[in-house]
């Protein structure tokens, strides 16, 4: 009898210890980074630096509500360029980055919460252009513009292509319409949204070569408790229709 009681008592201690380890410090905070990637995340005044309420977009609205529901503190800033934000999140504990495209190559580099949204990868041509390609291999004969260290650019490079990478994806709109590049590899609907901001419409979708999902990527040292609470909050928001509501309000 005593052995049974002792075993139950020891199990109780272990469970309590596990619960204690799962508790986050009272001052725990996630440092969230994002960039101008409309309509998913963007500064209200179109500048390349913003904080907190100066940032909106589909993913920004979802992430705010997700952290609020999970009861996890955070700071949020929008900066430039993406390449620097990506490296910071790789290197610094408790850093997070969105909207980050989930890929098999990136999977082991971060801990993931999502998906926040779904997108497509496309090759766009200038208005009136009658270019036709059936595959990325065929597209390799043309000059392709992309966004440095973006998942689309990384994918092209992994396929043996050599895209001309810009530090700002908006730069590719002018390059495309001026003939400096033949095709623009970007994310749909981001490309069309950016082009519209630059006063350009009628871009031609030459090839849709992938469907992708956008996530919150967290540094690998982020406690599992944080990941689990955020994922649970996101799943609840999706089931309640909040995610669809935010998406439809921007598109």
């Amino acid at each position: 009898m005593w052995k049974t009681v002792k075993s139950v008592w020891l199990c109780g201690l272990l469970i309590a210890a596990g619960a204690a380890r799962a508790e986050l410090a009272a001052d725990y905070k996630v440092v969230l980074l994002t960039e101008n990637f409309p309509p998913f995340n963007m500064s209200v005044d179109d500048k390349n630096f913003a904080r907190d309420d100066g940032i909106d977009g589909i993913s920004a609205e979802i992430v705010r509500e997700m952290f609020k529901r999970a009861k996890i503190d955070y700071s949020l800033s929008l900066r430039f360029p993406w390449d620097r934000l990506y490296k910071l999140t790789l290197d610094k504990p408790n850093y997070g980055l969105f909207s980050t495209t989930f890929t098999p190559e990136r999977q082991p580099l971060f801990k993931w919460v999502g998906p926040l949204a779904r997108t497509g990868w496309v090759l766009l041509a200038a208005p009136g252009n009658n270019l036709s390609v059936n595959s990325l291999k065929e597209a390799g004969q043309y000059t392709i513009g992309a966004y440095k260290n973006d998942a689309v650019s990384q994918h092209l490079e992994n396929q043996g292509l050599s895209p001309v990478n810009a530090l700002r994806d908006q730069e590719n709109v002018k390059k495309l319409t001026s003939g400096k590049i033949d095709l623009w590899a970007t994310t749909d609907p981001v490309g069309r949204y950016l082009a519209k901001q630059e006063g350009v419409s009628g871009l031609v979708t030459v090839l849709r070569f992938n469907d992708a999902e956008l996530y919150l990527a967290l540094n690998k040292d982020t406690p599992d408790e944080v990941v689990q609470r955020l994922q649970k909050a996101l799943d609840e928001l999706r089931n309640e229709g909040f995610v669809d509501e935010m998406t439809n309000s921007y598109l």
Side-chain angles (χ1 to χ4, degrees):
M1 177 68 178
W2 164 243
K3 287 185 178 180
T4 302
V5 172
K6 187 177 180 181
S7 297
V8 172
W9 176 71
L10 285 172
C11 286
L13 282 179
L14 289 172
I15 292 169
R21 284 195 298 271
E23 289 295 323
L24 300 176
D27 61 348
Y28 181 83
K29 178 184 286 190
V30 177
V31 179
L32 288 175
L33 302 175
T34 192
E35 59 154 355
N36 275 315
F37 186 59
F40 298 105
N41 22 270
M42 51 197 171
S43 60
V44 173
D45 58 8
D46 293 327
K47 294 183 179 178
N48 281 320
F49 181 80
R51 290 187 183 277
D52 302 318
D53 292 341
I55 303 165
D56 62 9
I58 297 168
S59 296
E61 301 279 9
I62 294 170
V63 167
R64 278 198 189 93
E65 193 62 28
M66 194 166 70
F67 272 80
K68 179 181 177 182
R69 182 166 295 206
K71 297 181 179 177
I72 297 174
D73 196 14
Y74 68 93
S75 63
L76 173 59
S77 61
L78 180 147
R79 301 181 188 179
F80 166 82
W82 170 262
D83 185 49
R84 179 170 177 267
L85 308 185
Y86 187 87
K87 289 174 181 175
L88 278 170
T89 307
L90 276 175
D91 295 339
K92 291 188 174 291
N94 302 324
Y95 269 57
L97 178 64
F98 71 92
S99 300
T100 307
T101 301
F102 179 92
T103 66
E105 295 80 11
R106 287 175 170 177
Q107 183 175 5
L109 304 178
F110 302 96
K111 291 183 178 178
W112 301 87
V113 177
L116 304 173
R118 291 175 172 83
T119 63
W121 294 355
V122 294
L123 292 178
L124 300 177
N129 195 311
N130 59 359
L131 261 178
S132 176
V133 298
N134 296 310
S135 66
L136 286 180
K137 185 177 181 180
E138 282 187 27
Q141 63 186 297
Y142 299 104
T143 303
I144 303 173
Y147 183 21
K148 186 176 182 180
N149 245 354
D150 177 64
V152 179
S153 176
Q154 290 176 345
H155 180 77
L156 295 182
E157 290 167 353
N158 289 337
Q159 296 298 310
L161 279 70
S162 301
V164 179
N165 288 315
L167 286 178
R168 296 175 70 247
D169 211 12
Q170 290 92 327
E171 294 173 17
N172 287 311
V173 180
K174 293 179 181 177
K175 285 183 178 180
L176 188 65
T177 54
S178 66
K180 291 182 179 178
I181 58 175
D182 302 310
L183 295 167
W184 175 20
T186 187
T187 302
D188 183 58
V190 177
R192 288 183 286 117
Y193 191 98
L194 292 176
K196 186 177 179 181
Q197 284 187 317
E198 299 294 321
V200 176
S201 60
L203 295 180
V204 180
T205 301
V206 173
L207 180 70
R208 187 180 182 98
F209 57 94
N210 195 29
D211 290 307
E213 293 181 325
L214 302 179
Y215 278 67
L216 166 64
L218 296 162
N219 180 273
K220 282 186 70 174
D221 291 334
T222 303
D224 289 338
E225 170 73 6
V226 172
V227 180
Q228 291 162 8
R229 280 162 59 174
L230 289 171
Q231 187 66 56
K232 181 175 181 290
L234 177 59
D235 292 344
E236 290 173 355
L237 291 170
R238 177 169 285 106
N239 291 336
E240 293 166 10
F242 180 85
V243 172
D244 286 339
E245 181 184 337
M246 283 299 102
T247 301
N248 294 334
S249 70
Y250 282 90
L251 295 177

